[in-house]
């Protein structure tokens, strides 16, 4: 199979998985929103935000480093897997301690109204979250997107199944949602174990490599710091809404964000495939041509989907979530501007990471995080969660502009080749639609 066909095939696999997880995610979000209501949903959002924050802040970039070094074939798969499991156990133990301290110190600041026992319970999921992240990265590096996608799909399915049973039917409310979250984490772990055995990948203490740990930290800390800043860029608004406003406001805003971010249905699957492909590419010309083609077409498709979502957001929120979440539709409209542009930014970020330059993503993220936090501090007290949406959309837009400049400077690419489709793209679209017509006839 040619390189281009392989890339398209893997991207379509990821795209199909994203469509399915979006459908499952919408169903899960509707159950949580309808049964829990804005206030309890806001409480649940803050509870699950804690372990996700700890994983993001403390994973030290092992996942991206694993993708990179699997692609480079410097270490055996047994070495990478065994070392990653060892690191997952060590890091999760440290994370639990830090999590306990965070609960004690910030429960009245960022976790107002959240039962403290739930925060302590949720910390027990950390070993599995780290293991899933580090092991799934191995399959991404291997470009085995069947397993990579199955892990995500199975987690979403189990989350929905448990939500139906323990939240919708048994009405266990927040604790039921937490149980469902645990199920969504345990299920992927089981899938990863099964497929590691199928590949005859043996996990042994003797395979743990100090050299791989060293290389992972050297590469990973750059990607790690960038990912931390990206996470802050994504979620600073929720923490500050919790600080300035209430769990109810968090619940409404989180519904809007979760829907608006579904626009990344195009960029997420493609960027996941692009990272290992860029890492293993032989020439800069090959990298530049592939990334330019992907970036401009992802941007075009994101604009089209974003416009459709803008038009239907009012009706969608009313039908799916009800009157209590009416304000979410306006938040979605504000967020769509930045999220649309950020779709292309994600492509460029993964290209730079695949070239071994994740520190460039760090520099751009640092600037935009500072802007995001400052704007949230200014706008939320004035305009509430609408202010948070404006701040986030502006921050995403600035990230896009800055990343375009950095990427063109580093790769000597033409900015127009990244932003605007050309005759070759149009010809491909025509060919695609002609094939569709042929299938109908």
């Amino acid at each position: 199979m040619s390189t281009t066909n392989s890339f398209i095939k893997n991207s379509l696999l990821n795209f199909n998985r994203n469509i399915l997880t979006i459908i499952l995610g919408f169903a899960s979000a509707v159950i949580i929103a309808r049964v829990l209501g804005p206030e309890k949903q806001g409480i649940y959002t803050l509870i699950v935000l804690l372990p996700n924050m700890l994983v993001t802040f403390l994973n030290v970039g092992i996942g991206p480093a694993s993708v990179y070094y699997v692609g480079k074939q410097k270490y055996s798969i047994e070495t990478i897997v065994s070392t990653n499991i060892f690191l997952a156990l060590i890091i999760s133990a440290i994370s639990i301690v830090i999590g306990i301290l965070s609960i004690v110190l910030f429960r009245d600041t960022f976790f107002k109204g959240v039962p403290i026992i739930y925060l302590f319970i949720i910390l027990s999921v950390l070993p599995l979250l780290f293991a899933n992240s580090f092991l799934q990265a191995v399959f991404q590096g291997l470009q085995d997107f069947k397993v990579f996608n199955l892990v995500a799909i199975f987690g979403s399915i189990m989350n929905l199944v448990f939500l139906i049973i323990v939240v919708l039917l048994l009405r266990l409310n927040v604790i039921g949602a937490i149980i469902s979250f645990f199920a969504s984490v345990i299920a992927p772990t089981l899938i990863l174990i099964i497929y590691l055995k199928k590949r005859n990948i043996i996990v042994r203490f003797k395979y743990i490599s100090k050299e791989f740990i060293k290389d992972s930290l050297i590469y990973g800390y750059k990607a790690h710091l960038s990912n931390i800043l990206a996470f802050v860029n994504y979620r600073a608004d929720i923490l500050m809404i919790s600080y300035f406003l209430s769990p109810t406001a968090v619940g409404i805003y989180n519904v809007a964000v979760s829907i608006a971010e579904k626009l990344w249905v195009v960029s997420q699957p493609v960027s996941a495939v692009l990272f290992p492909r860029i890492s293993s590419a032989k020439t800069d010309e090959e990298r530049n041509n592939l990334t330019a083609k992907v970036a401009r077409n992802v941007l075009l498709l994101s604009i089209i989907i974003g416009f459709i979502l803008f038009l239907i957001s009012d009706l969608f929120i009313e039908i799916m979530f009800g009157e209590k979440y009416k304000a979410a539709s306006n938040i979605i409209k504000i967020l769509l501007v930045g999220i649309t542009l950020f779709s292309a930014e994600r492509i460029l970020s993964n290209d730079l990471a695949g070239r071994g330059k994740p520190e460039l993503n760090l520099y751009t993220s640092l600037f935009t995080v500072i802007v995001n936090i400052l704007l949230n501090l200014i706008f939320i007290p004035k305009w509430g969660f609408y202010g948070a949406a404006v701040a986030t959309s502006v921050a995403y837009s600035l990230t896009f502009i800055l990343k375009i400049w950095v990427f063109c400077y580093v790769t000597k690419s033409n900015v127009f080749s990244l932003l605007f489709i050309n005759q070759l793209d149009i010809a491909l679209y025509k060919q695609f639609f002609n094939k569709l017509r042929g299938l109908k006839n």
Side-chain angles (χ1 to χ4, degrees):
M1 183 179 293
S2 71
T3 299
T4 301
N5 287 342
S6 175
F7 182 86
I8 293 172
K9 178 185 175 184
N10 287 334
S11 296
L12 287 174
L13 279 173
N14 279 10
F15 180 77
N16 291 336
R17 181 263 295 181
N18 266 25
I19 292 294
L20 182 55
T21 53
I22 282 175
I23 294 170
L24 295 169
F26 270 138
S28 299
V30 169
I31 291 172
I32 291 174
R34 289 283 189 176
V35 178
L36 269 59
E39 182 178 5
K40 288 181 180 178
Q41 197 214 8
I43 290 172
Y44 170 71
T45 298
L46 293 170
I47 291 169
V48 298
L49 182 62
L50 177 60
N52 286 325
M53 283 177 56
L54 290 168
V55 170
T56 301
F57 290 169
L58 299 172
N59 70 69
V60 295
I62 300 301
S66 298
V67 177
Y68 182 76
Y69 282 110
V70 169
K72 292 298 182 184
Q73 299 181 351
K74 182 176 179 180
Y75 299 96
S76 71
I77 299 301
E78 286 79 9
T79 293
I80 294 175
V81 169
S82 298
T83 306
N84 281 4
I85 291 174
F86 171 74
L87 290 172
L89 294 173
I90 298 299
I91 296 172
S92 62
I94 296 170
S95 300
I96 289 172
V97 174
I98 294 174
I100 293 170
L101 292 174
S102 300
I103 294 168
V104 173
L105 293 174
F106 300 113
R107 63 177 179 177
D108 295 325
T109 305
F110 295 114
F111 301 106
K112 290 180 293 186
V114 180
I116 192 170
I117 186 63
Y118 293 166
L119 293 171
F120 285 125
I121 290 172
I122 205 70
L123 293 178
S124 63
V125 80
L126 282 168
L128 296 182
L129 282 174
F130 279 108
N132 290 352
S133 175
F134 295 172
L135 295 178
Q136 192 175 12
V138 173
F139 286 98
Q140 183 182 358
L142 291 168
Q143 300 187 51
D144 186 346
F145 290 98
K146 174 186 174 183
V147 176
F148 182 80
N149 292 324
L150 185 60
V151 167
I153 291 170
F154 200 54
S156 297
I157 290 173
M158 293 308 294
N159 184 49
L160 178 58
V161 169
F162 272 78
L163 282 172
I164 291 171
I165 296 171
V166 298
V167 175
L168 186 61
L169 299 179
L170 299 180
R171 298 285 166 163
L172 293 183
N173 291 325
V174 175
I175 191 64
I178 293 173
I179 291 170
S180 302
F181 178 74
F182 270 89
S184 72
V185 176
I186 294 170
T189 306
L190 297 176
I191 294 293
L192 288 165
I193 291 171
I194 290 169
Y195 278 92
L196 286 173
K197 288 185 175 181
K198 280 190 174 184
R199 279 182 170 265
N200 296 317
I201 297 173
I202 301 171
V203 178
R204 293 284 187 272
F205 182 79
K206 66 179 181 179
Y207 292 140
I208 296 173
S209 169
K210 291 181 181 179
E211 186 180 355
F212 174 64
I213 293 175
K214 180 181 176 182
D215 280 348
S216 293
L217 293 176
I218 291 172
Y219 177 93
Y221 89 89
K222 303 170 188 176
H224 176 55
L225 293 175
S226 179
N227 287 340
I228 287 177
L229 292 173
F231 184 85
V232 173
N233 211 17
Y234 295 158
R235 296 295 175 255
D237 44 8
I238 288 179
L239 285 174
M240 281 188 271
I241 289 172
S242 175
Y243 177 79
F244 284 112
L245 304 176
S246 65
T248 300
V250 171
I252 294 171
Y253 187 82
N254 185 65
V255 164
V257 170
S258 65
I259 293 172
E261 287 183 351
K262 295 299 185 289
L263 184 60
W264 290 333
V265 65
V266 179
S267 63
Q268 278 179 336
V270 177
S271 60
V273 176
L274 185 69
F275 184 10
R277 180 55 55 86
I278 293 296
S279 178
S280 60
K282 303 302 181 185
T283 66
D284 284 340
E285 183 181 4
E286 181 185 350
R287 296 184 182 100
N288 292 349
N289 290 337
L290 178 60
T291 299
K293 182 183 291 185
V294 171
R296 62 180 179 258
N297 283 283
V298 163
L299 181 60
L300 173 65
L301 293 173
S302 298
I303 290 171
I304 293 170
I305 296 172
F307 181 69
I308 294 170
L309 184 54
F310 184 94
L311 294 177
I312 68 171
S313 58
D314 290 342
L315 182 62
F316 183 82
I317 290 294
E318 183 180 350
I319 293 173
M320 301 302 294
F321 294 92
E323 187 69 22
K324 293 180 180 178
Y325 292 90
K326 185 178 180 180
S329 62
N330 288 329
I331 298 173
I332 291 170
K333 292 173 183 177
I334 296 169
L335 288 170
L336 280 175
V337 177
I339 286 177
T340 298
L341 296 177
F342 205 75
S343 296
E345 190 278 344
R346 295 164 70 94
I347 302 299
L348 302 183
S349 293
N350 273 20
D351 174 283
L352 292 172
R355 292 173 194 254
K357 299 179 183 294
E359 69 275 8
L360 297 178
N361 295 328
L362 169 64
Y363 302 148
T364 56
S365 295
L366 180 60
F367 169 76
T368 50
V369 163
I370 292 171
V371 172
N372 193 8
I373 291 174
L374 288 175
L375 291 179
N376 270 290
L377 289 172
I378 295 169
F379 293 160
I380 292 176
K382 288 184 176 180
W383 303 326
F385 42 46
Y386 295 119
V390 172
T392 299
S393 198
V394 170
Y396 285 178
S397 301
L398 287 175
T399 305
F400 168 74
I401 294 169
L402 190 56
K403 188 59 62 65
I404 286 283
W405 181 83
V406 169
F407 185 84
C408 290
Y409 179 81
V410 170
T411 66
K412 310 304 179 186
S413 297
N414 186 305
V415 64
F416 292 102
S417 71
L418 298 173
L419 299 178
F420 302 106
I421 61 170
N422 56 32
Q423 293 297 323
L424 291 176
D425 299 319
I426 294 172
L428 284 174
Y429 284 120
K430 287 181 178 178
Q431 183 181 0
F432 174 75
F433 287 117
N434 286 335
K435 284 184 178 180
L436 286 181
R437 290 195 192 107
L439 289 175
K440 287 181 181 179
N441 296 331

